[in-house]
Amino acid sequence: MLLVELGLVPTQVHNGDGEHNYKIILQNKNWIEAQKNCRENHTDLVTIRNEFENQLVHNAGKESNTPFWIGLRYNKSTQLSWFDGGQSNYTNFTTTTIRKDTMFTYLNDDGSWIQSNTPENASALCYESFIHVSKHKMSWEDALNYCNESGLLRIESDEDQIETERELQRQKISGPVWIGLRQSRLFGFWIWVNGLNMGNWSNWKGGRQPEHQKSQYCGAMEKVNDKFKWSDKDCNTTFRVLCERR
């Protein structure tokens, strides 16, 4: 297969919380080169938020016979940080002491993490986000056409919200950005662009959806008091757009 010849082996892991799409890069690169490769060809070096994801990453990296890079790096100003903007307090280092002179992190063949103070060459694990962010601003109607068959982004669970926030933080976007929500002007209920009702899960600013007749009809997401929340906006206003990536 051409992918194998290029040193790129795709791994998709499906589970009850959604889809994790990882790409193992078998070419030996230092951490900086690995991150650049991931950002240019995929989304970023992988982020790990919990034990479940650590096991998924461990399984996805079994094509590599050596430890491989993940997206955790020590930064003297922010200390330990995931460079895609993901937030997590979970760690799985081989020792309980985190050395502040070690900059880069590998995942070992047993799933544990190893610190390294030199950007040596190794394989890397990238991930693909299910979210595409437009480069340009546009109205909600233009956003609908821009996303085309893949559709404007639907956010229907805590897991969807976490992944959306991760991508916005990675791209340093605080919003507003268009999402796939729109209100019926006649009946006042909010629906997703595929025609489905919102369901039981929502994330409105202030904890409740905008009142009918007072609403601005189109749904966006923006940072409010340091948290990403849904809000109603004038449909003709131009924002960047979140699409489902296919």
Side-chain angles (χ1 to χ4, degrees):
M1 290 179 63
L2 179 60
L3 289 175
V4 174
E5 292 173 2
L6 292 174
L8 181 63
V9 180
T11 304
Q12 286 190 336
V13 182
H14 298 267
N15 59 81
D17 294 328
E19 178 180 287
H20 296 255
N21 194 349
Y22 300 125
K23 301 288 189 298
I24 186 73
I25 309 297
L26 297 178
Q27 300 164 336
N28 283 337
K29 299 179 180 294
N30 64 43
W31 193 95
I32 301 297
E33 293 169 341
Q35 185 191 52
K36 181 180 179 182
N37 184 298
C38 287
R39 288 184 169 182
E40 288 178 349
N41 299 297
H42 309 290
T43 298
D44 214 317
L45 277 168
V46 69
T47 299
I48 303 170
R49 296 191 304 263
N50 51 49
E51 181 63 33
F52 176 69
E53 286 194 359
N54 196 72
Q55 186 60 50
L56 290 177
V57 168
H58 180 215
N59 293 339
K62 286 184 177 178
E63 295 287 341
S64 175
N65 295 321
T66 62
F68 53 85
W69 295 122
I70 59 177
L72 188 66
R73 180 176 174 183
Y74 184 81
N75 182 300
K76 291 183 179 179
S77 61
T78 60
Q79 299 187 358
L80 283 172
S81 60
W82 294 101
F83 268 53
D84 74 339
Q87 304 297 311
S88 173
N89 294 322
Y90 172 78
T91 61
N92 193 35
F93 287 110
T94 52
T95 64
T96 57
T97 302
I98 299 174
R99 294 171 51 194
K100 295 185 177 181
D101 62 340
T102 55
M103 295 288 290
F104 309 100
T105 308
Y106 296 108
L107 193 88
N108 204 3
D109 57 6
D110 64 357
S112 61
W113 304 357
I114 311 167
Q115 289 183 280
S116 171
N117 57 8
T118 57
E120 301 161 359
N121 288 339
S123 301
L125 192 69
C126 310
Y127 75 90
E128 292 276 7
S129 174
F130 64 81
I131 300 163
H132 166 75
V133 185
S134 70
K135 292 183 179 179
H136 304 292
K137 295 180 179 181
M138 60 196 79
S139 69
W140 195 93
E141 293 289 349
D142 287 341
L144 197 63
N145 293 327
Y146 174 82
C147 293
N148 201 359
E149 293 181 4
S150 64
L152 276 158
L153 183 68
R154 303 191 315 274
I155 306 169
E156 300 173 285
S157 66
D158 286 331
E159 290 76 22
D160 289 350
Q161 179 70 21
I162 289 168
E163 294 299 329
T164 304
E165 290 183 9
R166 176 189 290 191
E167 186 61 16
L168 292 175
Q169 288 164 344
R170 188 182 76 85
Q171 298 204 33
K172 296 180 174 59
I173 298 171
S174 59
V177 288
W178 289 126
I179 58 175
L181 272 177
R182 190 154 192 184
Q183 187 181 39
S184 166
R185 298 192 181 212
L186 179 61
F187 299 107
F189 54 77
W190 287 83
I191 57 173
W192 294 107
V193 288
N194 61 358
L196 294 177
N197 292 329
M198 283 197 311
N200 295 325
W201 193 93
S202 66
N203 188 35
W204 289 107
K205 178 174 64 175
R208 45 189 305 191
Q209 69 182 41
E211 287 185 50
H212 189 211
Q213 305 302 340
K214 295 182 179 180
S215 170
Q216 299 186 78
Y217 301 113
C218 288
M221 191 159 73
E222 62 185 326
K223 215 166 191 179
V224 180
N225 297 326
D226 213 35
K227 295 183 181 297
F228 286 96
K229 295 291 182 180
W230 301 351
S231 60
D232 61 309
K233 299 291 182 184
D234 183 332
C235 302
N236 293 316
T237 308
T238 59
F239 301 129
R240 293 175 71 177
V241 182
L242 302 184
C243 304
E244 304 264 356
R245 188 194 294 268
R246 300 298 185 194

